Amino acid sequence: MEHLFLELLQHYFHGPVHSIETVPFGMTNDSRIVVMNQGKYVARIYNRHTKNEERLRFEVELTAYLERCSLSFDVPGFASSKDETKYVVLSDGSLGSLTRFIEGEIPDLSRTSDVISYGWTVGEISYALQQFEPDSVDAVCRAMVFHDFYNLHSLSDQKKIDEFLACPPFEIEAEQIALLQGYYESVLSHAAELNVLPKQMVHHDILVFNLLIDPQSREMSGVLDFDFAAKDIRIWELSICL
């Protein structure tokens, strides 16, 4: 994997990299923090099962739009390669990119001020995403319907979900399994009502781990990870936040 990161960085920089280190985040893709030319970046190699070129072009255009929105926080904009592209195709066929590093720490939800900042941020990003219309034909606003469980992932079907709930591959308390089972059955039984709710572009992963807050001002400094952004039910954004 390290040789692929070095290959990726050769598309962006001349000369040796000052430093490259692993990161404690990123379950979907492989990421590294890179310092080069007095700048700090996140280098990313994407999981082929969850990111293709169409999805990546969409994310590039979406984050570029958000950068133009004069938001009160930053989003990880894509850096341009030496060929003026926003991502590259590596020798093994993987896709890779470089985005700006945003300073900050994960909000502390035991602090009232951080919770308030979280709420304002979710409202602000939701309003901005509501206005988004892609400029290019390539950046298709694809739907990703979170309550359509069986079409979310190629490995997600009724049999596998039932097997997971009946015999989890790791330890889960019985009441937690019962809670998951209840949510699962409730969503399936209310699919028709959910389908008619208002829809818009949503982040889909607005968890506290994808937010950064300034440790001094306690104001939000960044919203990260637009991997799963897509058109879906508007209220999911608030639901996921809660």
Side-chain angles (χ1 to χ4, degrees):
M1 180 57 69
E2 298 311 314
H3 72 283
L4 287 176
F5 276 105
L6 293 176
E7 179 187 341
L8 171 63
L9 295 176
Q10 287 172 2
H11 285 273
Y12 287 87
F13 303 118
H14 296 284
V17 177
H18 295 162
S19 73
I20 179 169
E21 56 189 66
T22 57
V23 297
F25 55 80
M27 294 180 65
T28 307
N29 308 303
D30 290 300
S31 304
R32 301 288 186 273
I33 295 176
V34 175
V35 177
M36 185 69 183
N37 297 341
Q38 298 181 329
K40 200 170 184 180
Y41 307 89
V42 176
R44 185 169 286 113
I45 296 175
Y46 295 93
N47 184 317
R48 297 189 200 187
H49 300 290
T50 59
K51 183 77 77 176
N52 56 29
E53 284 199 63
E54 181 186 54
R55 285 292 306 169
L56 187 50
R57 285 194 296 268
F58 169 77
E59 187 178 343
V60 167
E61 184 160 337
L62 178 62
T63 52
Y65 158 77
L66 291 171
E67 286 185 294
R68 298 192 299 269
C69 286
S70 302
L71 299 170
S72 63
F73 47 82
D74 286 332
V75 297
F78 285 76
S80 296
S81 71
K82 290 187 285 189
D83 295 330
E84 297 301 316
T85 60
K86 296 297 185 181
Y87 65 90
V88 298
V89 181
L90 302 173
S91 58
D92 72 339
S94 299
L95 301 172
S97 72
L98 207 67
T99 57
R100 293 184 299 105
F101 183 88
I102 302 172
E103 298 287 351
E105 63 185 31
I106 294 174
D108 178 359
L109 297 187
S110 68
R111 300 175 65 145
T112 302
S113 60
D114 285 19
V115 174
I116 292 171
S117 186
Y118 188 178
W120 276 107
T121 299
V122 172
E124 188 175 356
I125 196 74
S126 183
Y127 181 78
L129 290 174
Q130 186 181 18
Q131 320 303 315
F132 175 67
E133 293 184 5
D135 296 325
S136 68
V137 177
D138 286 336
V140 180
C141 283
R142 297 181 62 187
M144 184 186 290
V145 183
F146 262 30
H147 63 281
D148 186 5
F149 297 128
Y150 306 139
N151 287 310
L152 279 177
H153 192 278
S154 57
L155 298 179
S156 176
D157 57 39
Q158 184 174 358
K159 180 182 177 186
K160 288 188 173 63
I161 293 174
D162 288 342
E163 287 174 351
F164 177 90
L165 292 169
C167 186
F170 47 85
E171 187 175 348
I172 306 178
E173 293 181 3
E175 60 258 33
Q176 293 297 319
I177 284 289
L179 191 64
L180 289 173
Q181 181 79 47
Y183 285 145
Y184 174 53
E185 293 173 356
S186 177
V187 168
L188 291 177
S189 64
H190 291 89
E193 294 97 320
L194 291 169
N195 285 333
V196 299
L197 291 174
K199 298 177 178 64
Q200 67 161 68
M201 191 63 55
V202 295
H203 182 286
H204 262 152
D205 201 17
I206 197 85
L207 304 174
V208 69
F209 307 106
N210 284 328
L211 300 171
L212 293 170
I213 200 164
D214 184 283
Q216 275 74 50
S217 68
R218 307 312 297 181
E219 294 179 353
M220 211 63 71
S221 59
V223 174
L224 310 176
D225 196 355
F226 290 83
D227 265 343
F228 301 121
K231 254 187 176 170
D232 202 352
I233 296 171
R234 181 185 303 164
I235 198 65
W236 276 166
E237 208 79 294
L238 176 59
S239 303
I240 292 166
C241 160
L242 291 174

